[in-house]
Amino acid sequence: RKEVEQDPGPFNVPEGATVAFNCTYSNSASQSFFWYRQDCRKEPKLLMSVYSSGNEDGRFTAQLNRASQYISLLIRDSKLSDSATYLCVVNIGNTDKLIFGTGTRLQVFP
Amino acid sequence: NAGVTQTPKFRVLKTGQSMTLLCAQDMNHEYMYWYRQDPGMGLRLIHYSVGEGTTAKGEVPDGYNVSRLKKQNFLLGLESAAPSQTSVYFCASSYSTGGRARETQYFGPGTRLLVL
């Protein structure tokens, strides 16, 4: 089993739609969870951290389910500019190292 | 404030040639990292450094060497390039607090390397 698994997509959604991505992780000792965004041929950039209680940043909501070992990202009112690849990132147990998922590609169309 | 920069942006090598990729950051970060990104594989950690003068192996270190002689620079070397090292290479850096890396990593724009 991969340490971090994501559905590669692509998810093709119209503007204004709500879309959700899930990501599963295998190491139950992992403590830190993140969503990064990567535009085509660009570097990854932090979108948001994922907290145990769940957190929201504008149209973006992240959730953590430790029992089932997955995190989720919900995007409401999708914009064309949300088109990108979303990387699920998890730290390795109690270390400083991060494991990056292969990403979920989102394409928002007019 | 340039953040994290990488040179070169693109390079073509022949098998067996050597080269050095340079990463520089102006944010006074303690931790620096080198990753490679291949289709369907995600980002994989090659080597990392927790401070000036220190380096450690990541997930895929074979065929690469690194040096961190100055806090702001992290060099990645390929001694004898192989086609399997064709990839996009990203450098990243992060703060540290209490001896642990702050998880937010700031990435450079990447170096595209083609080994023929």
Side-chain angles (χ1 to χ4, degrees), chain A residues 36 95-98 100, chain B residues 4 6 23-25 29-36 44-51 56 58 66 68 73-76 89-96 100-108:
Chain A
Y36 275 68
T95 74
D96 293 317
K97 298 177 192 175
L98 300 178
F100 287 76
Chain B
V4 181
Q6 293 182 231
C23 175
Q25 52 95 5
H29 286 173
E30 289 290 337
Y31 284 58
M32 296 187 74
Y33 315 80
W34 274 108
Y35 293 91
R36 60 179 288 175
R44 291 183 292 168
L45 184 64
I46 305 172
H47 286 279
Y48 65 104
S49 168
V50 301
V66 288
R68 183 102 180 267
N73 295 337
F74 195 27
L75 278 64
L76 177 71
Y89 292 85
F90 287 103
C91 175
S93 67
S94 63
Y95 290 108
S96 69
R100 285 287 310 278
R102 291 283 299 276
E103 293 89 358
T104 303
Q105 294 188 9
Y106 298 84
F107 284 81

Side-chain angles (χ1 to χ4, degrees), chain B residues 20-78:
Chain B
T20 300
L21 283 67
L22 172 64
C23 175
Q25 52 95 5
D26 60 2
M27 297 176 281
N28 202 34
H29 286 173
E30 289 290 337
Y31 284 58
M32 296 187 74
Y33 315 80
W34 274 108
Y35 293 91
R36 60 179 288 175
Q37 187 174 36
D38 303 291
M41 299 289 291
L43 282 151
R44 291 183 292 168
L45 184 64
I46 305 172
H47 286 279
Y48 65 104
S49 168
V50 301
E52 182 179 321
T54 70
T55 63
K57 293 180 180 179
E59 182 186 353
V60 287
D62 294 341
Y64 305 95
N65 56 75
V66 288
S67 65
R68 183 102 180 267
L69 298 179
K70 294 183 179 180
K71 185 177 184 180
Q72 64 268 32
N73 295 337
F74 195 27
L75 278 64
L76 177 71
L78 284 72

Side-chain angles (χ1 to χ4, degrees), chain A residues 6-98:
Chain A
Q6 296 183 251
D7 181 341
F11 285 62
N12 296 305
V13 302
E15 275 186 289
T18 296
V19 62
F21 311 135
N22 282 341
C23 164
T24 58
Y25 61 95
S26 62
N27 191 329
S28 59
S30 294
Q31 299 174 359
S32 303
F33 309 89
F34 313 90
W35 285 101
Y36 275 68
R37 170 192 169 130
Q38 186 172 24
D39 292 295
C40 187
R41 301 178 73 81
K42 298 286 189 181
E43 72 272 23
K45 293 183 179 177
L46 179 68
L47 177 66
M48 58 196 305
S49 300
V50 185
Y51 303 124
S52 297
S53 55
N55 48 299
E56 191 174 304
D57 183 2
R59 298 181 293 108
F60 299 86
T61 300
Q63 297 278 356
L64 167 64
N65 185 317
R66 284 192 185 275
S68 300
Q69 294 184 206
Y70 75 85
I71 65 173
S72 64
L73 177 67
L74 181 78
I75 305 175
R76 289 181 299 277
D77 189 22
S78 298
K79 311 290 184 191
L80 293 176
S81 57
D82 293 334
S83 297
T85 297
Y86 291 84
L87 307 177
C88 170
V89 185
V90 178
N91 84 311
I92 304 176
N94 193 30
T95 74
D96 293 317
K97 298 177 192 175
L98 300 178

